[in-house]
Amino acid sequence: MAARVLCRHGCRVNSVHGFRKKFSQAEDVHLKLTEETDHQEEQKTSSRQIPSPFPYRLYYNPSSYYYSSRDSANSHSQTDDQEEEQSPSDVVPSFRQQSNRYSVSCSRHLSSSNKLLDLAFNKAPDTDKTSVLQIHKKTVSPDVKVNPRAFLKTRPEYASTSLDLTQRPDPVEWVEVLPVLQNVSLLKGRMKPSDVSQLLAELSRLHADKMALLRSDPRFLTLLRYSVKHLRLFSLSELLEVLRSFVWVEMPSSHAIFDTYEEELSQRAKQMTFPELLFAADLWRCIGRQVPQFLEYLYASVHLHLGQIKVPELVHLLYIIGEGRHCPKDLVRPVEQLLMHHLHLLHPEEVGTVCLGLFKSQTSVSESAVTRIVDRALSFVSEMSDFGIVNVLKYMRYSYLFHKPWLDAMAQEIPRRSHRMGVQGLMHVTLTCSALHYRNDRILSAVAERIPSLAPHCRSKDSCKLLWAFGSLGFLPTQSPGFYPSLTEALRQRKAEFQRYPEHLLTGLLGLVFISQFPEDLVALALSPEFVHLALKRSQLELKKDLLTLDGAVALELPHWTGPRLSRELREEVADMLWTFAQSDVCQKPEVVEAETALQDLLGGEQFVCKRMILPHTRSIDLEVHLDSTGQPIPVLPPCSAHKPASPVPSHQDWEKLNTGITITDELIGQLCNLKTPLLGLHAMKRRHLKLEGFKVVELGFQEWSQMLRKSRTEKLAYLHCKIYDCLWNK
């Protein structure tokens, strides 16, 4: 029986902008050039990414890391513990709620507005739309409190432009506010704007436990009507005082009255000073209301007051920008300049606030600016709060900045802090390490040790992101026996959430698949026809790719599998989609073209190199070459008449004799070939799957190939020869 040697070698050449390339080999030698085709499409619509010295970008999306734009546009409040990363393509401006909208054009027409106001004011409170004051009292998990407004305590100057939510007015009991409510009934038609402001201020002192009772009292609703009647007659200080009272009364942020208040403040904005605008914006933040119309006036005023904006105003502005989830393009450059000018004066907590504001608003500043921000944070990292450190990591992830001194500092800070950190903070730490391809076992082990005790409190999205991050970093189950089982069980306990967020399950399962872990009950759920139908209804593009990857991994690693699989039609559809995109984008990359042409030169012609996707579910392209048992190339493609017959491939000794003006020595080849690239997630899985398919895998790391791109053609060919044939003969 004849035997032939197949060395399918797949070659991935990685670029700074997320281009992952490496060489792999399989038994007819396959030189496969792989690349992350699945996320290149997303990069086209994303905002500018800062280049990194690292070879490729392992995106931490599957789609579950992103809000749907529909959800973020409809939401008027978003709490800190509800905050999620958004892909730049998903970020949209907030829009004012259109339901329950009303306006009062003239105070004289109050009586004609009563019916509509009654409907608005007597509407049952929306329990989903909580104020920041209510959020301020929440805990993210049983042991961790998050206060994104802690920076306001760092300087006395903040007191004039913000509301201190920790300094609630001295509380009074219900019996003490009854006379105030009676005054509302007595004054009625004789009520003046100052009366309205004063009465609301007095009522806002009621004990917090009784606020729900107050909000439902008919006399309080009458007072709200009169506040609308006198809205245009309020002085600015009275208007701001009314908003302050609404904060303490814990008015639902979705209440229809706020449309009218935003409109009134927007009309007055041009007459307001910059500190007054900041204070008003802060009150809206405390109410928990998204007010894009008013914020436009605040942002426009920045250009007029650049010379007056000092550190407190700048940090507070960036906080407001972050909470508004949007920064106008024409504001980015002035803000960056102000930030660089004042950076040396920022306190630790202020740096964290700056990073969070830039992250939440998806604002890209220059690479040098991000580096300087992280440098500043590093200068007092031990003084920063856990929250501040996590915010710096978030913005590094968004900016894709690999700052090794900071990451190395995290290897010291996270282990000593992890015992007191909550699930979401720990998740962001590991997610950043994953996105930047920074594997540090001190960090990972510390987080893994903490997670099992918190797993019962994890939302499904937190569990899934943790699984993705650890799986993509190649953290093995043996390194922390309780980590993966605790999170997998947390997914089982929250199966119901996957009906609403199917993408979360796929995210978590892919993280497990990366390290060859297959919880079969959850895999069966994810590949069931019902779940597939649900997933495809929500996101046609992203989840199809995730489903294909999961299905392909099951096919190769679970030969005994009798559970559900994707239909052949769906598999072929997604594979065709990936290949079509690869041909128009990935295959045209200079690094890929250089690798392909160098291989053709090395082996004797185009017919010896086939560019295709060997394993479509790994979302990467391959350059495939075949060698016989003696190491000579075999045509992969039909030979073209224009091509000359293949010449024998030179031996290693032959390279030394080439008259190129360059001496090719063992030492030179050794220097070029001795660099190591960590391997990670999807790429580790692909290597494993190629081996299962009979391929022999050889890695060409980014650092190696990027060095070769600057060298002569002969050196490149010698290098490729070394990589391929060392792998072939050193089995």
Side-chain angles (χ1 to χ4, degrees):
M1 183 169 76
R4 64 176 182 167
V5 177
L6 295 173
C7 272
R8 301 176 192 164
H9 180 118
C11 138
R12 283 193 170 180
V13 185
N14 300 295
S15 89
V16 170
H17 296 289
F19 188 77
R20 163 83 171 168
K21 305 138 215 168
K22 84 185 173 179
F23 283 90
S24 148
Q25 221 184 22
E27 317 257 285
D28 258 329
V29 162
H30 275 129
L31 229 183
K32 76 175 189 56
L33 203 152
T34 64
E35 163 158 11
E36 292 186 277
T37 64
D38 56 321
H39 293 299
Q40 294 292 334
E41 296 167 285
E42 295 167 3
Q43 279 186 285
K44 286 188 172 182
T45 57
S46 68
S47 56
R48 180 184 62 79
Q49 300 290 343
I50 292 177
S52 159
F54 257 56
Y56 58 90
R57 181 172 307 177
L58 177 56
Y59 281 71
Y60 53 88
N61 169 45
S63 351
S64 67
Y65 295 165
Y66 305 136
Y67 268 140
S68 111
S69 58
R70 178 183 69 250
D71 293 343
S72 64
N74 289 341
S75 174
H76 278 269
S77 66
Q78 188 171 19
T79 67
D80 191 72
D81 59 321
Q82 290 170 329
E83 155 241 313
E84 285 299 330
E85 294 76 21
Q86 299 167 320
S87 72
S89 59
D90 284 339
V91 177
V92 296
S94 300
F95 296 100
R96 294 196 298 169
Q97 180 175 325
Q98 299 301 312
S99 59
N100 296 319
R101 189 167 167 76
Y102 68 95
S103 62
V104 180
S105 59
C106 176
S107 61
R108 294 194 298 272
H109 298 306
L110 177 64
S111 58
S112 64
S113 313
N114 275 348
K115 184 174 292 186
L116 186 55
L117 290 173
D118 283 338
L119 291 175
F121 293 151
N122 290 297
K123 178 171 72 76
D126 187 340
T127 55
D128 290 335
K129 310 296 186 183
T130 50
S131 70
V132 171
L133 182 60
Q134 292 167 313
I135 300 307
H136 185 73
K137 299 185 289 187
K138 282 188 176 183
T139 55
V140 174
S141 70
D143 58 336
V144 177
K145 292 183 178 180
V146 171
N147 180 12
R149 296 171 63 81
F151 74 96
L152 296 171
K153 295 286 190 180
T154 61
R155 298 176 190 266
E157 294 92 331
Y158 287 115
S160 62
T161 59
S162 66
L163 179 61
D164 188 347
L165 295 177
T166 65
Q167 299 296 318
R168 194 181 186 106
D170 293 336
V172 298
E173 296 302 326
W174 179 252
V175 293
E176 297 178 69
V177 303
L178 283 177
V180 181
L181 291 172
Q182 290 169 358
N183 282 339
V184 173
S185 300
L186 291 174
L187 287 172
K188 281 195 175 178
R190 297 181 290 111
M191 198 175 294
K192 297 179 294 188
S194 58
D195 296 328
V196 176
S197 174
Q198 182 180 351
L199 290 169
L200 283 170
E202 292 179 16
L203 292 173
S204 70
R205 295 178 56 202
L206 179 64
H207 198 284
D209 293 343
K210 296 292 190 298
M211 282 303 180
L213 181 61
L214 174 65
R215 292 194 299 268
S216 62
D217 191 285
R219 292 163 293 188
F220 179 73
L221 300 178
T222 298
L223 188 56
L224 291 184
R225 294 190 193 99
Y226 277 97
S227 78
V228 173
K229 174 182 177 180
H230 294 301
L231 191 53
R232 294 183 179 177
L233 302 177
F234 283 133
S235 67
L236 179 60
S237 60
E238 288 171 341
L239 183 56
L240 296 177
E241 184 60 39
V242 169
L243 284 181
R244 190 202 310 259
S245 298
F246 286 157
V247 174
W248 299 127
V249 172
E250 299 176 17
M251 290 275 286
S253 61
S254 59
H255 202 294
I257 196 175
F258 290 132
D259 275 330
T260 306
Y261 271 82
E262 181 188 3
E263 187 175 339
E264 178 63 24
L265 267 174
S266 298
Q267 291 176 0
R268 300 192 187 198
K270 291 183 178 179
Q271 286 73 49
M272 295 170 67
T273 65
F274 188 72
E276 288 171 340
L277 288 166
L278 264 185
F279 183 49
D282 191 74
L283 290 174
W284 283 122
R285 175 84 298 265
C286 294
I287 290 170
R289 178 84 170 187
Q290 293 286 10
V291 286
Q293 179 185 354
F294 176 76
L295 291 182
E296 286 179 8
Y297 289 98
L298 169 64
Y299 300 153
S301 72
V302 172
H303 300 280
L304 304 175
H305 299 89
L306 285 175
Q308 305 169 29
I309 297 179
K310 306 303 181 187
V311 171
E313 292 84 6
L314 174 62
V315 176
H316 201 176
L317 174 66
L318 282 165
Y319 166 75
I320 296 297
I321 288 174
E323 297 307 305
R325 301 303 196 271
H326 172 65
C327 180
K329 290 183 180 179
D330 65 347
L331 194 58
V332 175
R333 184 62 178 161
V335 164
E336 179 178 339
Q337 291 174 337
L338 283 170
L339 187 54
M340 293 302 97
H341 181 70
H342 294 304
L343 186 61
H344 66 289
L345 300 174
L346 263 59
H347 296 323
E349 206 62 27
E350 291 174 321
V351 173
T353 298
V354 165
C355 289
L356 184 60
L358 295 171
F359 170 77
K360 284 186 172 183
S361 61
Q362 304 284 281
T363 301
S364 295
V365 297
S366 66
E367 180 182 6
S368 61
V370 183
T371 302
R372 286 185 59 191
I373 292 170
V374 181
D375 287 342
R376 179 61 178 164
L378 182 62
S379 70
F380 41 47
V381 62
S382 61
E383 303 171 41
M384 295 187 73
S385 67
D386 301 342
F387 183 66
I389 281 180
V390 168
N391 292 338
V392 174
L393 288 167
K394 285 180 182 180
Y395 195 55
M396 287 175 62
R397 183 170 79 243
Y398 169 74
S399 302
Y400 201 65
L401 176 77
F402 187 86
H403 191 294
K404 195 170 188 303
W406 170 270
L407 292 171
D408 289 344
M410 293 301 97
Q412 305 300 319
E413 293 296 324
I414 300 303
R416 75 179 183 87
R417 296 168 181 258
S418 60
H419 68 280
R420 68 189 186 213
M421 293 177 69
V423 169
Q424 292 179 45
L426 296 171
M427 176 269 292
H428 283 298
V429 168
T430 54
L431 207 54
T432 299
C433 291
S434 171
L436 300 179
H437 310 149
Y438 178 78
R439 172 166 175 164
N440 185 289
D441 282 351
R442 280 178 55 83
I443 295 175
L444 296 179
S445 297
V447 175
E449 183 179 341
R450 169 74 166 144
I451 288 299
S453 64
L454 299 177
H457 311 294
C458 284
R459 302 170 302 174
S460 62
K461 61 179 72 176
D462 298 325
S463 300
C464 293
K465 290 177 188 178
L466 283 163
L467 288 171
W468 170 271
F470 274 80
S472 67
L473 288 170
F475 188 83
L476 300 178
T478 54
Q479 295 179 262
S480 181
F483 175 74
Y484 287 112
S486 67
L487 288 178
T488 305
E489 184 56 33
L491 296 189
R492 293 189 177 100
Q493 297 301 320
R494 295 183 177 269
K495 276 185 182 179
E497 295 182 19
F498 302 137
Q499 292 298 311
R500 186 175 180 186
Y501 303 108
E503 59 270 27
H504 293 169
L505 177 59
L506 293 176
T507 298
L509 287 178
L510 289 183
L512 289 167
V513 165
F514 291 161
I515 55 167
S516 199
Q517 297 291 299
F518 293 84
E520 296 192 9
D521 58 328
L522 296 176
V523 172
L525 171 62
L527 294 179
S528 67
E530 299 80 10
F531 186 89
V532 171
H533 177 71
L534 175 67
L536 296 185
K537 277 202 314 183
R538 285 185 57 84
S539 175
Q540 287 285 325
L541 179 64
E542 289 308 319
L543 297 193
K544 279 183 179 179
K545 292 187 271 188
D546 295 346
L547 286 166
L548 181 69
T549 300
L550 178 60
D551 182 82
V554 167
L556 284 171
E557 299 200 53
L558 298 182
H560 63 281
W561 180 257
T562 59
R565 294 281 309 280
L566 296 185
S567 67
R568 174 176 295 183
E569 293 77 13
L570 181 57
R571 293 200 299 267
E572 291 177 352
E573 175 193 343
V574 183
D576 289 344
M577 175 185 68
L578 290 170
W579 177 236
T580 299
F581 174 74
Q583 287 178 300
S584 65
D585 187 274
V586 176
C587 295
Q588 308 303 319
K589 297 287 186 182
E591 300 89 339
V592 179
V593 173
E594 181 67 20
E596 182 180 15
T597 56
L599 280 171
Q600 292 169 351
D601 289 351
L602 176 68
L603 300 175
E606 293 180 5
Q607 70 269 34
F608 296 102
V609 181
C610 177
K611 182 161 53 184
R612 69 183 182 99
M613 298 180 79
I614 296 176
L615 299 174
H617 73 276
T618 61
R619 313 176 185 190
S620 50
I621 65 169
D622 309 289
L623 293 175
E624 178 181 352
V625 303
H626 294 191
L627 302 178
D628 64 17
S629 58
T630 66
Q632 292 304 308
I634 301 172
V636 187
L637 301 173
C640 298
S641 57
H643 290 308
K644 295 184 294 185
S647 302
V649 176
S651 66
H652 178 64
Q653 289 74 23
D654 293 333
W655 289 107
E656 300 175 4
K657 301 174 183 177
L658 292 178
N659 184 20
T660 63
I662 298 172
T663 303
I664 307 297
T665 64
D666 287 338
E667 182 180 3
L668 173 60
I669 294 295
Q671 289 174 353
L672 294 175
C673 298
N674 65 0
L675 296 174
K676 301 293 183 182
T677 300
L679 295 167
L680 299 172
L682 184 65
H683 317 105
M685 183 192 74
K686 178 165 188 174
R687 189 185 319 111
R688 190 168 68 245
H689 289 178
L690 285 169
K691 290 179 179 178
L692 288 173
E693 287 286 274
F695 290 77
K696 191 163 187 179
V697 181
V698 176
E699 304 284 345
L700 177 62
F702 167 75
Q703 293 181 356
E704 295 180 41
W705 186 242
S706 63
Q707 287 189 28
M708 291 310 307
L709 293 178
R710 297 190 294 269
K711 295 187 178 295
S712 71
R713 191 74 170 168
T714 301
E715 288 177 288
K716 292 174 187 173
L717 296 179
Y719 171 74
L720 290 175
H721 181 276
C722 173
K723 296 292 287 190
I724 294 173
Y725 286 93
D726 278 3
C727 172
L728 181 63
W729 306 129
N730 298 328
K731 295 185 179 179

